[in-house]
Amino acid sequence: MEQKYYQQPRIPISPVLSAKSFGLNKSTIAKISDLKYTLYTTSGRSAIAIALKYFEVGSNDEVLVPTFHCTSMVDPVIWLEAKPVFYTIEINHEKTLLKASIASIKKLITPNTKALIVAHYFGQMQEISALYALCKEKKIRIIEDCAHMYFGGDTNSAIGQYSDFVIGSALKFYAMFDGGCLCSNTHKLPKNIFSTRNVKFEIKSLVNCLERSLHYKRLLLISYFLAPLLSLKDYLWNKVKKKSTATSYSPAAAEGGFGFDPNWVYKPMSITSRLIAFLTNDGRLVKLRRKNYMKWHQELKNVEGGKALFDELSIFTVPHVFPFLVDQPEIIFPILKNLGVPILRFGEFLWDDTLYKVCPLTNYLSKHCFQFPCHQELSPAELDWAITTVKSVLSEHA
Ligand SMILES: Cc1ncc(COP(=O)(O)O)c(C=O)c1O
């Protein structure tokens, strides 16, 4: 498939470090790393791989994966030589969440089914209790994919209370370069599975965070001091790269890619990312993500040419992004990208082309669902600019 390259977004697509990022205000909404046992990985896909490996998933085993996915959810299954089996998804009547089709899952279970991966799309928690019961009855391991839901939970169940494992992608919620986690209430995770820290990666994690921050004009007070140091770093880094035969100094997830490199599975989250997760003002993060999401929702409510994927934001949801269905995606996408609007398109590329035909909803979302950032580090001016730009492009082409 031909990939087009666009300029860097004018405003940050994911959180960037600022002086305001830090603080002691904790969130009142649960987060996945509050579960009893947590391992901090470099990415969510590594966490999926470790969870599957923990249950000794291997050849002849089948793992149930949703048709609406990104390929980094499937790669760990393939890495273990197991077979991904794809179940369909549906949207509830109230249009408040996307969920796994239990009927589809039931049809696909065989004696070889070892595990089920269920994703809480875009931060909205799906009804999970029926799936817990089904997996218990059929003796299937359940992995809740909370890559989009680092925080959340509803009145009946905080996230991951009853599943075998929960995986998270911390780098989608915090201003960090690398970061994932594997959490559980029931399975104690061995701490010694990680390889030793890689100094080059540790430096890269720190420097990348600072560079992104400066690029988007954050941390201005220290930028005069940092800018010459970062130029020196570029010079030295190019020299190191020329001499070295190593192919990658960081996991694909940190670079925004979907690739899977087994060499990164058993590497620990960098020290910089651990510190950022620890020092971030979670209360502010939760409040601003919800506020920014609602602003997108309110402003694009009556616009022609598209509509919000979900009608409501539950009080326990801490959104990853604002998902929006666009009527004419082929026309609107390049225009917005060329203007520098950040857009994510989860599920655009599926593991196998035949899957577009298996689930009509997946097919529709993969083409029409754009996701705009609503993270805590967008300034009010940046958010206004993005909303105004999207509105004007949509109405011009309605
Ligand atoms: C639903 C879902 N699961 C898993 C992953 C993998 O997470 P990571 O990028 O941290 O490896 C992603 C990444 O986008 C995702 O969207």
Side-chain angles (χ1 to χ4, degrees):
M1 190 139 343
E2 198 197 330
Q3 291 260 14
K4 286 208 178 90
Y5 291 94
Y6 296 96
Q7 57 163 318
Q8 265 212 47
R10 255 179 74 167
I11 61 172
I13 195 161
S14 57
V16 279
L17 215 53
S18 75
K20 291 183 189 148
S21 308
F22 304 111
L24 295 174
N25 184 6
K26 291 287 148 210
S27 151
T28 47
I29 298 181
K31 59 179 173 179
I32 53 176
S33 52
D34 292 338
L35 290 175
K36 209 162 161 190
Y37 307 111
T38 298
L39 273 190
Y40 292 95
T41 58
T42 55
S43 67
R45 66 202 78 175
S46 305
I48 298 177
I50 298 171
L52 294 174
K53 185 97 179 151
Y54 183 90
F55 294 126
E56 296 177 353
V57 169
S59 52
N60 296 327
D61 291 330
E62 291 172 1
V63 178
L64 291 162
V65 185
T67 45
F68 189 45
H69 58 249
C70 57
T71 52
S72 49
M73 295 163 70
V74 187
D75 281 322
V77 180
I78 303 294
W79 174 57
L80 293 168
E81 295 175 11
K83 184 178 167 201
V85 175
F86 296 93
Y87 64 85
T88 58
I89 56 150
E90 52 199 28
I91 192 156
N92 69 346
H93 287 308
E94 300 80 23
K95 295 231 185 88
T96 48
L97 49 92
L98 290 175
K99 54 183 193 155
S101 157
I102 298 206
S104 168
I105 291 177
K106 279 186 177 160
K107 268 193 227 152
L108 295 168
I109 292 176
T110 72
N112 294 338
T113 310
K114 196 94 182 245
L116 166 72
I117 300 179
V118 197
H120 298 287
Y121 297 108
F122 311 130
Q124 305 275 66
M125 186 173 188
Q126 61 167 288
E127 297 146 3
I128 196 95
S129 40
L131 288 174
Y132 287 147
L134 178 67
C135 286
K136 200 168 171 197
E137 182 199 325
K138 303 281 182 190
K139 298 197 169 42
I140 295 170
R141 300 300 189 172
I142 180 161
I143 299 169
E144 269 179 83
D145 182 331
C146 290
H148 300 173
M149 200 176 87
Y150 203 82
F151 297 79
D154 62 23
T155 34
N156 301 319
S157 56
I159 349 163
Q161 295 266 346
Y162 308 106
S163 55
D164 286 291
F165 279 117
V166 168
I167 73 100
S169 181
L171 57 84
K172 293 183 179 34
F173 285 80
Y174 292 104
M176 53 175 64
F177 177 60
D178 60 290
C181 60
L182 177 61
C183 320
S184 178
N185 253 0
T186 42
H187 302 284
K188 188 162 184 195
L189 299 153
K191 295 260 183 231
N192 59 356
I193 58 169
F194 288 129
S195 55
T196 48
R197 290 189 180 276
N198 175 320
V199 178
K200 281 183 194 140
F201 170 57
E202 294 294 332
I203 296 172
K204 187 158 184 183
S205 175
L206 170 65
V207 170
N208 186 284
C209 248
L210 296 173
E211 269 176 340
R212 281 198 72 230
S213 223
L214 297 197
H215 178 84
Y216 286 109
K217 310 256 177 297
R218 268 67 172 183
L219 299 176
L220 278 181
L221 274 181
I222 56 167
S223 68
Y224 298 106
F225 163 72
L226 276 179
L229 284 181
L230 291 174
S231 304
L232 177 66
K233 181 259 350 171
D234 281 343
Y235 171 77
L236 294 174
W237 190 251
N238 283 335
K239 288 206 148 198
V240 170
K241 268 210 291 204
K242 264 187 207 155
K243 277 195 188 156
S244 167
T245 52
T247 46
S248 82
Y249 293 103
S250 48
E255 307 281 359
F258 286 115
F260 177 80
D261 180 349
N263 291 325
W264 285 95
V265 171
Y266 289 107
K267 295 258 175 14
M269 184 191 273
S270 68
I271 294 169
T272 305
S273 297
R274 282 296 295 273
L275 271 174
I276 288 171
F278 182 69
L279 297 172
T280 294
N281 183 336
D282 282 345
R284 169 179 174 270
L285 178 158
V286 166
K287 198 170 127 206
L288 289 179
R289 277 183 178 261
R290 289 181 53 82
K291 188 172 163 210
N292 292 345
Y293 179 102
M294 287 194 267
K295 177 141 193 185
W296 273 110
H297 196 273
Q298 181 60 30
E299 294 278 340
L300 296 192
K301 212 172 182 174
N302 299 317
V303 78
E304 276 186 55
K307 64 172 188 309
L309 170 63
F310 300 128
D311 286 345
E312 273 174 26
L313 184 70
S314 106
I315 54 164
F316 294 104
T317 298
V318 181
H320 163 225
V321 284
F322 173 67
F324 187 76
L325 302 171
V326 177
D327 294 345
Q328 305 181 79
E330 332 67 40
I331 298 176
I332 303 297
F333 184 74
I335 299 176
L336 289 179
K337 289 291 277 189
N338 282 326
L339 289 168
V341 175
I343 309 174
L344 290 165
R345 294 184 77 178
F346 173 83
E348 184 186 7
F349 302 112
L350 302 183
W351 178 254
D352 174 347
D353 281 351
T354 60
L355 292 171
Y356 294 100
K357 294 201 184 99
V358 172
C359 175
L361 178 58
T362 297
N363 184 37
Y364 179 77
L365 294 173
S366 75
K367 294 179 176 57
H368 293 265
C369 186
F370 291 8
Q371 298 110 48
F372 299 117
C374 63
H375 60 79
Q376 68 277 13
E377 301 301 342
L378 287 173
S379 70
E382 287 171 336
L383 186 63
D384 282 344
W385 171 80
I387 291 175
T388 312
T389 310
V390 171
K391 267 167 104 171
S392 77
V393 169
L394 283 173
S395 52
E396 236 172 74
H397 293 84

